[in-house]
């Protein structure tokens, strides 16, 4: 299947390139060095319609499809993966959960300010002792009258400190039981919720990652998303879209690393000619581009299925797994092609390399993706 870029996708690319030149690239190194989270950038991206990309205009969004969403995340990540990660987490996790599973009243209350970039979203599932084993989460919500009281801690949460709106997953049943979790919308400033430790990370350093602490946090029953006990079912659906987001993020990293290596190989001369003319370098460039193109086709296939309401779990897991591994491989080759300069922070290759690794871990590790893929294939007897 061939996915010709649409006029909208070309427009997004041009818009993001112009935005990045003005608001991202001049600060990229500084933000990475200091772990500065540039909150104002996301307000500006909201003004461009990129903080509620697939949300219907009825709720203040841009009403774009998933192909356009893939383009937006990829193009932002090509310039700075940290910004791409935050845009992806905001859109596909927090906004996505509310958009696909919340009531009309909840959508009208929360989505317009999230989609405009006035508010920033966070999605909290992971805990210190429960990563892939989310069914054993220790954050618990108990009903008291027309309120829920939530206690627990979440970690590795994107925008854990700065978010204005949190979607919190909490256990409302016995540990390990089916249908034992519920999703809650919790607003910033609600007594009992606060950001905790900000993580000092290898990469993605300009995207805020932190703990979220809940201590007797009282949430009205009206803030339950869907029905009590449906939280994990909703989360699995959210993660199907989230895997496309991470695949798109990985594509942007690979594209940025590839262009850095290609341009350097054409400009750097040794023995009187560009190093791109040497087969050892030229073959690396060939491998990098081939892997990148294959990863994009798989990601576009997943976006196509999502846009057409078809089952996407298998393909999104494949796209996330393959694209994230490709981003690591391509960025590693970029560092190698730049040689000593690839190890220097003045050149972006080393940053792409550090940032890429997160893609093989976040929203389900590569190992978890292979588990999802193999189970789907064996269950359906596709292989």
């Amino acid at each position: 299947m061939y996915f010709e870029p649409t006029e909208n996708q070309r427009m997004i690319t041009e818009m993001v390139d112009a935005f990045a030149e003005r608001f991202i690239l001049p600060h990229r190194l500084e933000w990475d060095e200091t772990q500065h989270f540039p909150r104002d950038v996301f307000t500006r991206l909201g003004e461009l319609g990129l903080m509620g990309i697939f949300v219907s205009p009825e709720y203040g969004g841009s009403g774009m499809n998933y192909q356009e969403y893939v383009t937006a995340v990829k193009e932002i990540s090509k310039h700075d993966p940290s910004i791409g990660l935050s845009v992806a987490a905001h859109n596909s996790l927090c906004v996505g959960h509310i958009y696909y599973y919340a009531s009309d009243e909840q959508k009208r209350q929360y989505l317009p300010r999230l989609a405009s970039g006035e508010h920033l979203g966070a999605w909290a599932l992971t805990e210190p002792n429960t990563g892939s084993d989310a069914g054993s989460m220790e954050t618990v919500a108990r009903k008291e009258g027309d309120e829920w009281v939530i206690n627990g801690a979440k970690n590795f949460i994107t925008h854990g400190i700065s978010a204005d709106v949190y979607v919190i997953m909490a256990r409302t049943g016995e540990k390990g039981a089916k249908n034992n979790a519920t999703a809650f919308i919790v607003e910033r400033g609600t007594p009992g919720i606060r950001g905790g430790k900000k993580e000092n990370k290898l990469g993605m350093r300009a995207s805020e990652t932190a703990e979220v602490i809940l201590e007797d946090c009282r949430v009205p029953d009206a803030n339950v998303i869907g029905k009590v006990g449906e939280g994990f079912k909703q989360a699995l659906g959210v993660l199907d879209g989230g895997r496309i987001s991470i695949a798109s993020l990985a594509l942007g990293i690979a594209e940025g690393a590839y262009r850095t290596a290609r341009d350097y190989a054409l400009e750097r001369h040794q023995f009187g000619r560009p190093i791109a003319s040497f087969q050892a370098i030229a073959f690396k460039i060939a491998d990098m581009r081939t892997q990148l193109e294959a990863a994009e086709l798989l990601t576009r296939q997943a976006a196509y299925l999502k846009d057409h309401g078809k089952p996407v779990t298998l393909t999104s897991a494949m796209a996330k797994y393959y694209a994230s591994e490709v981003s690591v491989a391509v960025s590693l080759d970029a560092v190698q092609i730049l040689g000593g300069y690839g190890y220097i922070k003045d050149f972006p290759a080393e940053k792409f390399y550090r940032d890429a690794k997160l893609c093989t871990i976040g929203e389900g590790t590569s190992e978890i993706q292979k588990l999802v893929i193999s189970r789907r294939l064996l269950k359906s007897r596709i292989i």
Side-chain angles (χ1 to χ4, degrees):
M1 187 176 291
Y2 179 67
F3 298 98
E4 177 71 26
T6 65
E7 187 60 36
N8 270 354
Q9 290 170 34
R10 293 190 184 96
M11 178 195 71
I12 290 169
T13 298
E14 292 173 4
M15 180 176 68
V16 169
D17 284 349
F19 181 90
E21 285 290 337
R22 183 176 179 186
F23 296 110
I24 297 177
L25 294 179
H27 311 288
R28 180 172 62 184
L29 180 59
E30 175 195 350
W31 292 345
D32 183 68
E33 286 287 308
T34 62
Q35 286 208 114
H36 173 68
F37 178 59
R39 176 64 182 88
D40 61 307
V41 167
F42 302 99
T43 302
R44 294 180 186 276
L45 286 169
E47 293 169 357
L48 297 180
L50 298 181
M51 297 298 278
I53 298 175
F54 50 78
V55 173
S56 166
E58 177 185 0
Y59 302 111
S62 298
M64 298 184 191
N65 60 30
Y66 245 77
Q67 294 291 356
E68 291 160 337
Y69 174 62
V70 168
T71 299
V73 173
K74 174 191 171 186
E75 293 302 321
I76 293 169
S77 305
K78 179 179 73 180
H79 298 288
D80 190 339
S82 294
I83 306 303
L85 172 61
S86 279
V87 169
H90 171 90
N91 274 280
S92 70
L93 298 181
C94 179
V95 171
H97 199 140
I98 295 172
Y99 184 59
Y100 290 118
Y101 297 104
S103 67
D104 285 342
E105 184 178 347
Q106 289 170 331
K107 292 176 186 178
R108 285 193 294 270
Q109 182 176 354
Y110 294 104
L111 288 178
R113 282 179 289 182
L114 286 165
S116 71
E118 178 185 350
H119 281 179
L120 190 66
W123 193 75
L125 173 64
T126 302
E127 298 184 0
N129 295 315
T130 57
S132 302
D133 183 18
S136 298
M137 70 166 63
E138 296 176 0
T139 297
V140 174
R142 70 177 189 278
K143 187 80 177 292
E144 288 189 3
D146 60 355
E147 291 184 323
W148 291 85
V149 181
I150 309 176
N151 283 280
K154 302 291 184 176
N155 73 336
F156 302 146
I157 305 305
T158 305
H159 313 144
I161 295 170
S162 298
D164 299 286
V165 177
Y166 299 81
V167 173
I168 303 289
M169 302 292 299
R171 186 160 52 82
T172 49
E174 294 298 319
K175 186 181 290 188
K178 292 184 67 176
N179 304 321
N180 74 338
T182 302
F184 299 86
I185 300 174
V186 184
E187 298 179 44
R188 181 184 183 86
T190 300
I193 187 170
R194 59 183 173 85
K197 175 190 175 186
K198 181 178 178 178
E199 303 295 349
N200 187 6
K201 299 176 294 182
L202 169 72
M204 301 290 190
R205 291 170 60 82
S207 178
E208 180 184 275
T209 303
E211 294 176 315
V212 176
I213 311 298
L214 299 117
E215 296 173 327
D216 291 332
C217 181
R218 290 184 173 270
V219 180
D221 192 48
N223 283 32
V224 171
I225 300 178
K227 296 180 181 178
V228 173
E230 288 185 342
F232 278 137
K233 181 179 179 181
Q234 295 170 6
L236 291 175
V238 169
L239 287 170
D240 279 345
R243 288 168 181 149
I244 299 174
S245 294
I246 299 298
S248 307
L249 172 64
L251 288 177
I253 295 171
E255 182 73 36
Y258 165 79
R259 291 187 180 202
T260 298
R262 178 201 62 193
D263 293 350
Y264 180 85
L266 290 168
E267 294 166 5
R268 172 73 166 175
H269 283 65
Q270 293 286 275
F271 306 104
R273 54 188 174 129
I275 63 170
S277 67
F278 295 100
Q279 192 177 82
I281 301 299
F283 278 15
K284 280 188 183 294
I285 297 291
D287 284 340
M288 293 163 77
R289 191 72 219 179
T290 301
Q291 291 170 349
L292 205 167
E293 293 284 342
E296 179 151 18
L297 284 172
L298 196 50
T299 304
R300 295 288 179 186
Q301 173 89 348
Y304 173 87
L305 295 174
K306 179 77 171 173
D307 282 335
H308 288 79
K310 297 179 181 295
V312 73
T313 301
L314 174 61
T315 309
S316 66
M318 286 179 168
K320 195 271 186 189
Y321 165 56
Y322 186 71
S324 61
E325 294 292 339
V326 163
S327 72
V328 173
V330 169
S331 57
L332 174 60
D333 278 345
V335 171
Q336 193 70 17
I337 288 171
L338 267 69
Y341 293 108
Y343 209 67
I344 303 299
K345 286 184 178 291
D346 291 340
F347 292 78
E350 63 86 31
K351 183 179 184 302
F352 286 124
Y353 184 39
R354 288 185 289 109
D355 288 346
K357 189 55 192 167
L358 182 277
C359 296
T360 69
I361 299 170
E363 295 193 39
T365 63
S366 290
E367 290 74 19
I368 288 294
Q369 303 313 313
K370 287 193 279 188
L371 186 64
V372 171
I373 293 164
S374 60
R375 284 179 174 175
R376 289 273 167 169
L377 292 175
L378 293 168
K379 183 177 180 180
S380 61
R381 296 181 180 273
I382 292 174
I383 58 174

